Amino acid sequence: MTKKHTIPSDEDLTAFIDGELTAEEAARIEALVSEDEGVAERLDFLARANLPFEQAFAPLLSEAPCEKLERMLAAIPAQNSTSSASAPPIATRRRFLGALAASLVAGIAIDRAVVGISRGFSAKDENSEWRAVVAEYISLYTPETLTGPVPAREVQAAQLASLDEKLGLSLSPEAVSLPGIDFKRAMLLQYDGKPLAQIAYLDPETGPMALCIVMSDAGSKAPDLEKRKGMNVVYWSNATHAFMLIGHAPADRMTAMADGVRGKGGGVGTKQDS
């Protein structure tokens, strides 16, 4: 019988990239990369990923229950005592991803995060650029990122209210609901110095999905479809905001869901328009 190999986790792959694995473990990863195209592609993506992960998730780590987090991390067997002894806490991507995973398992809610990028682009490209940034970090989400029960309606409403205050929106759980897909959390991020709303969902069929909104004065634009990071993106804008729905669902299903959100009266719109 052929023995099935174990697919390495993102933590293992980032540890391989950072040179933190033992020679035996590194050899195992190298063998898997040569044998499995999916592993090779994931390794290549992680090697090229350049988002400021620690900056983006700093609020999450600052709110984590430190003692419990330390106990959980301590329970993970050390892979290379020599390298780990010389590295400061959370100093490498592997330790940071480990801390982040532990925080999520502990049920820590992310209230806000910061995704910083340079302003090295012209105003006419801004709407395309923000979608590229969102797609970059949404592509890192897995179903495990969004595990846990669906928040109660009052919790959803409270999370959405915090977005309303910053972006001048008028959102309700009903306005942003997607058929057959679980609402998971709404949080405030920052893009190019401006607030960015992210409403995360978990589709039982295709995995993570998100509705994202940012202030924009680029003018109204009818919905359009594009593909980024292997995901389908439906995007549109009104006089004051730009919107995007991103996920792994087929294009026609994504378009139908975006149309549903747009068609809800008083839903995804501005307070001025309501």
Side-chain angles (χ1 to χ4, degrees), residues 38 46 56 72 88 99 115 123 126 136 143 161 171 189 206 242 245 247 256 268 274:
L46 291 172
M72 296 174 74
V115 177
E126 180 177 349
E136 185 77 33
L171 302 175
L189 297 93
T206 63
L245 181 66
V268 181
S274 57

Side-chain angles (χ1 to χ4, degrees), residues 26-255:
R28 182 179 71 87
I29 297 294
E30 289 174 353
L32 290 176
V33 168
S34 63
E35 297 170 2
D36 192 318
E37 183 178 351
V39 175
E41 290 178 353
R42 190 61 180 170
L43 178 66
D44 179 62
F45 170 77
L46 291 172
R48 291 184 291 106
N50 58 6
L51 286 176
F53 298 106
E54 187 164 2
Q55 179 187 8
F57 290 99
L60 170 65
L61 294 178
S62 67
E63 295 171 13
C66 295
E67 292 184 3
K68 184 174 183 179
L69 179 59
E70 288 174 358
R71 288 197 303 270
M72 296 174 74
L73 291 176
I76 301 174
Q79 301 298 327
N80 189 325
S81 58
T82 302
S83 61
S84 61
S86 60
I90 319 300
T92 65
R93 282 181 295 176
R94 187 186 191 194
R95 290 196 175 190
F96 175 73
L97 290 172
L100 174 58
S103 298
L104 292 172
V105 170
I108 304 302
I110 305 176
D111 293 325
R112 67 194 69 83
V114 177
V115 177
I117 64 169
S118 68
R119 293 182 59 88
F121 53 87
S122 62
K124 66 179 181 179
D125 295 325
E126 180 177 349
N127 280 337
S128 175
E129 183 70 22
W130 86 277
R131 296 195 305 272
V133 171
V134 170
E136 185 77 33
Y137 71 80
I138 293 295
S139 70
L140 298 177
Y141 283 16
T142 69
E144 290 73 24
T145 307
L146 300 172
T147 55
V150 175
R153 186 194 181 283
E154 57 268 25
V155 175
Q156 296 182 32
Q159 292 180 4
L160 292 170
S162 67
L163 307 183
D164 290 347
E165 295 175 4
K166 295 293 186 179
L167 285 97
L169 296 167
S170 182
L171 302 175
S172 68
E174 292 74 22
V176 300
S177 64
L178 301 177
I181 296 177
D182 291 338
F183 175 108
K184 286 298 183 176
R185 64 183 180 235
M187 59 183 180
L188 185 68
L189 297 93
Q190 181 172 295
Y191 163 79
D192 194 30
K194 297 181 294 187
L196 185 156
Q198 182 203 108
I199 304 165
Y201 309 85
L202 185 59
D203 179 5
E205 295 181 10
T206 63
M209 187 177 296
L211 173 65
C212 298
I213 311 167
V214 69
M215 285 184 168
S216 172
D217 57 5
S220 298
K221 187 182 187 309
D224 205 348
L225 179 71
E226 65 184 1
K227 200 151 185 99
R228 291 182 181 273
K229 294 293 182 181
M231 295 173 286
N232 286 310
V233 180
V234 183
Y235 62 96
W236 67 97
S237 61
N238 60 22
T240 54
H241 294 81
F243 307 83
M244 65 180 285
L245 181 66
I246 180 171
H248 298 273
D252 57 349
R253 186 167 170 235
M254 294 291 294
T255 300

Side-chain angles (χ1 to χ4, degrees), residues 255-271:
T255 300
M257 285 188 288
D259 288 344
V261 170
R262 293 177 61 248
K264 294 176 182 176
V268 181
T270 63
K271 291 180 178 179

